[in-house]
Amino acid sequence: MKKIIVSAPGKLMLLGEHAVVYDRPCIVTAVDQRLSAEIFLTESGEFSMHAPDVSITDYKKSLAEIGKGEIPKAAAFIERALVNFKEKYPFDEGLEVRTKSEFSSSFGFGSSSASTVCLVKALSEVFEKNLSDKEIFDLSYKTVLDVQGVGSGFDIAAAVYGGTVYFLTGGKKIEPLHVKDFDLVVGYSGTKADTTTIVKEIAKKRDENKPKIDGIFSEIEVLVEKGKICMNESDWEGFGRIMNENQTLLSQLGVSTEKLDAMIEGALSAGAYGAKLSGAGGGDCMIALCPKEKIEDVKSSIKNANGEIIEIKVNTEGVSID
Ligand code: MEV
């Protein structure tokens, strides 16, 4: 029985969410909380999956049935990735997949994308296909679109490439940024947001008032370009100001919440360079970029606003064989 262990990082959006769905760039960083997958090749002719973090235990079907019938949501990404890989690179072996996450799937760190990337990387390795990062990205991104219909693919890029990445919709540009370490405090709002629902809500708002929403997206694009320069120069004060401006635009899109606003305000009053929601909004997490000496004050302020601190490091390694 051939076995391989792969892990991929979660992600945090630094700048550009929502606009990146509409052909604009964003900046995303990989975090040190990882999702790992053990993959066994078997002679059973069966696909089986065990992912207790998302309540999938002993899910089994014959290889001929993969991609067909009722598929539980939490198994859909892995199963679809398998179908897509097998279509391109046929094989007959059975497969057992076991995933384990260091982070809760509620945080919006991108567990579905990380697990998709892990599977594609593992299959590439186990069947000696030697896929490049871009090929792993493309196959994983196709999988995400097949399953959820929407998404820019930025989370896939973070999981594959790691580090901090300047990313354009669908992977038209994936540019790793050479950034020095920076200190990010992350606060979880306590509510899980459903990204697909929020992305569809924004699409509806855009249908109703295209000039207004596209105008906001274009302003976000300008901020991302400025932010990229600040990052390259390690100008964290400048980057913080840009985060604040990005947050204002996200509020105008209607995706911030009172709770996120309170946590963001708390972080700023405690001395963060900048703070904003990260991801689709409507819940999930906020991030605050901080001078080192203010980290503890910022954490206390976020806690005072009833946020939960999640300890992470940013700019970490992409998908790897463990
Ligand atoms: C969600 O984390 C970020 C969005 O921009 C969606 C996406 O880029 O796929 C809202």
Side-chain angles (χ1 to χ4, degrees):
M1 195 160 63
K2 208 164 170 183
K3 171 182 161 183
I4 192 154
I5 305 179
V6 180
S7 72
K11 54 75 192 163
L12 281 167
M13 180 71 98
L14 298 179
L15 292 175
E17 48 273 269
H18 288 294
V20 67
V21 179
Y22 297 88
D23 243 344
R24 267 83 171 185
C26 73
I27 298 178
V28 56
T29 194
V31 299
D32 63 341
Q33 298 206 8
R34 299 177 76 84
L35 186 133
S36 67
E38 281 184 335
I39 282 119
F40 305 83
L41 276 193
T42 67
E43 282 165 16
S44 65
E46 251 182 9
F47 161 61
S48 71
M49 182 175 163
H50 191 76
D53 298 313
V54 285
S55 307
I56 297 279
T57 44
D58 294 323
Y59 175 71
K60 266 192 192 126
K61 58 185 7 178
S62 78
L63 269 194
E65 287 301 307
I66 57 166
K68 298 182 188 149
E70 274 283 295
I71 303 176
K73 207 171 161 215
F77 290 87
I78 292 274
E79 192 166 332
R80 178 49 56 186
L82 190 55
V83 171
N84 286 340
F85 186 92
K86 199 165 175 291
E87 241 168 52
K88 245 184 138 169
Y89 309 104
F91 63 88
D92 300 317
E93 287 87 339
L95 204 73
E96 185 179 324
V97 180
R98 295 178 165 264
T99 65
K100 203 159 103 219
S101 180
E102 289 173 351
F103 56 87
S104 157
S105 61
S106 314
F107 294 164
F109 278 10
S111 49
S112 310
S113 301
S115 61
T116 306
V117 167
C118 279
L119 187 73
V120 174
K121 174 78 175 176
L123 292 173
S124 160
E125 204 59 28
V126 96
F127 293 113
E128 296 173 7
K129 297 298 172 204
N130 225 349
L131 299 188
S132 67
D133 283 351
K134 186 61 171 45
E135 286 169 316
I136 293 173
F137 173 87
D138 287 339
L139 211 51
S140 303
Y141 183 47
K142 176 180 176 357
T143 301
V144 167
L145 285 186
D146 287 348
V147 175
Q148 64 185 28
V150 294
S152 66
F154 81 104
D155 40 3
I156 298 278
V160 175
Y161 293 81
T164 300
V165 173
Y166 170 90
F167 176 86
L168 184 60
T169 322
K172 281 177 230 151
K173 255 192 209 162
I174 304 176
E175 193 183 318
L177 300 178
H178 301 287
V179 294
K180 301 234 172 71
D181 274 350
F182 52 96
D183 293 299
L184 208 63
V185 172
V186 181
Y188 177 53
S189 66
T191 24
K192 176 163 174 47
D194 182 38
T195 301
T196 306
T197 308
I198 299 174
V199 169
K200 286 184 178 159
E201 276 166 19
I202 296 293
K204 190 158 168 272
K205 281 190 187 174
R206 185 169 178 263
D207 285 345
E208 285 158 10
N209 193 343
K210 200 162 176 288
K212 179 180 167 204
I213 302 296
D214 280 351
I216 294 177
F217 289 160
S218 294
E219 284 188 65
I220 293 177
E221 177 175 13
V222 172
L223 293 178
V224 172
E225 297 302 342
K226 284 188 189 161
K228 186 180 170 196
I229 297 170
C230 290
M231 269 215 144
N232 282 332
E233 294 175 352
S234 301
D235 172 7
W236 302 122
E237 265 184 77
F239 196 87
R241 276 194 299 273
I242 289 167
M243 287 169 74
N244 295 338
E245 288 177 45
N246 194 164
Q247 173 62 20
T248 303
L249 293 168
L250 288 165
S251 294
Q252 287 172 17
L253 278 179
V255 294
S256 199
T257 65
E258 265 177 41
K259 178 82 180 273
L260 285 167
D261 288 347
M263 292 159 74
I264 290 166
E265 245 159 62
L268 291 175
S269 65
Y273 291 133
K276 62 183 277 295
L277 67 83
S278 173
D284 285 353
C285 291
M286 53 73 69
I287 52 175
L289 182 67
C290 298
K292 266 211 178 359
E293 65 280 9
K294 297 288 183 191
I295 291 177
E296 291 312 316
D297 291 349
V298 169
K299 283 183 182 170
S300 300
S301 256
I302 293 174
K303 281 192 224 157
N304 284 341
N306 291 322
E308 181 191 332
I309 300 299
I310 303 170
E311 299 291 345
I312 50 112
K313 281 202 176 58
V314 292
N315 205 25
T316 58
E317 194 193 3
V319 67
S320 62
I321 309 287
D322 295 350

